[in-house]
Amino acid sequence: MEPFVEVDPTNRYGRYAELLGSGAVKKVYRAFDKEEGIEVAWNQVKLRNFFDDEAMINRLYSEVRLLGSLRNENIIALYSVWRDKERDILNFITEVCTSGNLREYRKKHKQVSTKALKKWSRQILMGLDYLHTQDPCVIHRDLNCSNMFINGNVGRVKIGDLGLATIVEKNQSAHSLLGTPEFMAPELYDEDYTELIDIYSFGMSLLELVTLELPYSECENVVKIYRKVISGVRPEAMNKVRDPEMKAFIEKCLARPRARPSAADLLKDPFFDKIVDNDDDDDGNFNS
């Protein structure tokens, strides 16, 4: 019997020692929900890392509160949150995706059909449409293949890590510079942007899923990426996209802000014409 390393204050959730992932601010462990009999993810953020950064602590709290209010099958669900004052750790329990993030999953499965990529794309856009139509609008701000997750046995894709998400009042632009350089829209660098930055990031993520290459991997540093992005120079990976329909669809996502479609617009694109979520011939399903 695998022992729990710790349990939550209600004794419902137990954490195992196995680490599922770790990022700049949090560690994610495998855990178990005794009440439902399901595996979950136990996220831990050491608040003492930010003891002098009240803004960061507030941002973490707002991330968690935000996650708790969202309910959509393409967004990672949050089940519980509490603060361990003695150890100064913020704990929260979220849904777990059995096959991990899309970046790792795609590396593992080299043979993925265009149909499967379209199915994944459609689900990501459905998640984004849900976020962007909240009132106030929720912008993810750091969308990339490492924070989109998949249950590979059913091909279900979910957006996670809303850590940099910001809630922006309708018709207002957000003002702060955060994200992963390769995936950041040009207007983000001007710190004057709308939810359409997520569409740009989605386009770059799709480019990575198609080519198995990080956008702008030809650039040696962030400055060079920045120069290319703001001058509208596409990543060299674009030359590897053989399918003209796929290439045109990615280009739509990377268009200048005024010409860039919304998630709702893209979901109506002919690109998805023959794609249904759970048809019998489901290429999105891979079992390793």
Side-chain angles (χ1 to χ4, degrees):
M1 185 180 123
E2 190 180 358
F4 289 139
V5 180
E6 65 179 306
V7 292
D8 80 304
T10 66
N11 205 29
R12 173 174 174 170
Y13 301 103
R15 175 170 83 76
Y16 297 117
E18 186 191 340
L19 192 65
L20 295 175
S22 63
V25 297
K26 71 179 176 189
K27 286 194 164 148
V28 186
Y29 295 91
R30 195 163 66 83
F32 192 70
D33 176 348
K34 293 190 276 184
E35 202 169 293
E36 293 293 330
I38 57 170
E39 287 205 340
V40 290
W42 182 310
N43 303 256
Q44 287 197 330
V45 180
K46 286 193 172 141
L47 295 173
R48 66 169 170 271
N49 294 349
F50 318 106
F51 66 93
D52 55 351
D53 190 348
E54 201 56 37
M56 186 67 176
I57 291 177
N58 289 336
R59 207 172 89 207
L60 288 166
Y61 273 126
S62 56
E63 167 190 7
V64 176
R65 279 197 299 271
L66 169 63
L67 266 173
S69 69
L70 303 175
R71 283 289 174 269
N72 179 274
E73 62 182 8
N74 298 116
I75 306 284
I76 295 275
L78 172 86
Y79 301 128
S80 179
V81 56
W82 70 99
R83 185 174 181 175
D84 178 341
K85 287 217 165 119
E86 267 173 47
R87 291 157 64 216
D88 211 14
I89 286 174
L90 181 66
N91 295 284
F92 52 105
I93 305 292
T94 57
E95 183 180 2
V96 70
C97 283
T98 50
S99 309
N101 72 48
L102 267 188
R103 179 168 294 154
E104 298 306 321
Y105 189 74
R106 179 70 178 92
K107 278 181 194 160
K108 195 165 138 190
H109 300 285
K110 297 283 193 283
Q111 305 297 319
V112 179
S113 70
T114 299
K115 181 181 173 188
L117 291 172
K118 286 184 178 187
K119 288 191 166 198
W120 296 352
S121 298
R122 191 164 171 268
Q123 293 182 66
I124 296 160
L125 286 169
M126 285 161 75
L128 286 177
D129 185 45
Y130 173 77
L131 292 176
H132 294 169
T133 52
Q134 295 298 297
D135 189 11
C137 167
V138 178
I139 307 179
H140 189 290
R141 284 203 296 193
D142 191 26
L143 193 70
N144 63 70
C145 297
S146 71
N147 53 35
M148 302 171 192
F149 300 89
I150 184 163
N151 287 328
N153 59 326
V154 290
R156 170 72 64 207
V157 178
K158 294 170 186 273
I159 297 170
D161 283 347
L162 289 158
L164 298 175
T166 180
I167 299 185
V168 176
E169 295 297 336
K170 288 270 183 287
N171 308 321
Q172 273 191 326
S173 296
H175 300 277
S176 62
L177 187 55
L178 295 156
T180 309
E182 297 85 345
F183 296 86
M184 283 164 63
E187 66 271 24
L188 241 174
Y189 291 103
D190 297 330
E191 300 191 25
D192 184 12
Y193 55 86
T194 67
E195 70 277 6
L196 293 176
I197 60 164
D198 287 345
I199 302 299
Y200 180 96
S201 302
F202 159 75
M204 285 295 183
S205 302
L206 180 53
L207 178 62
E208 180 186 341
L209 292 171
V210 172
T211 62
L212 277 171
E213 187 178 297
L214 211 56
Y216 296 111
S217 53
E218 66 274 12
C219 297
E220 296 125 59
N221 55 46
V222 175
V223 175
K224 289 188 175 167
I225 295 173
Y226 162 76
R227 283 194 191 129
K228 285 198 171 184
V229 171
I230 56 166
S231 53
V233 178
R234 297 285 177 251
E236 282 177 15
M238 275 301 253
N239 302 324
K240 295 187 179 171
V241 183
R242 300 274 169 259
D243 179 341
E245 185 199 29
M246 178 67 79
K247 195 168 192 172
F249 185 76
I250 293 172
E251 277 290 358
K252 278 182 191 176
C253 302
L254 304 182
R256 291 286 176 195
R258 282 192 185 139
R260 203 179 301 150
S262 66
D265 294 334
L266 287 170
L267 285 165
K268 295 186 201 116
D269 196 279
F271 183 73
F272 295 114
D273 273 359
K274 295 190 176 110
I275 302 299
V276 265
D277 253 353
N278 296 316
D279 57 11
D280 300 326
D281 172 29
D282 197 335
D283 293 358
N285 297 351
F286 303 101
N287 287 313
S288 51

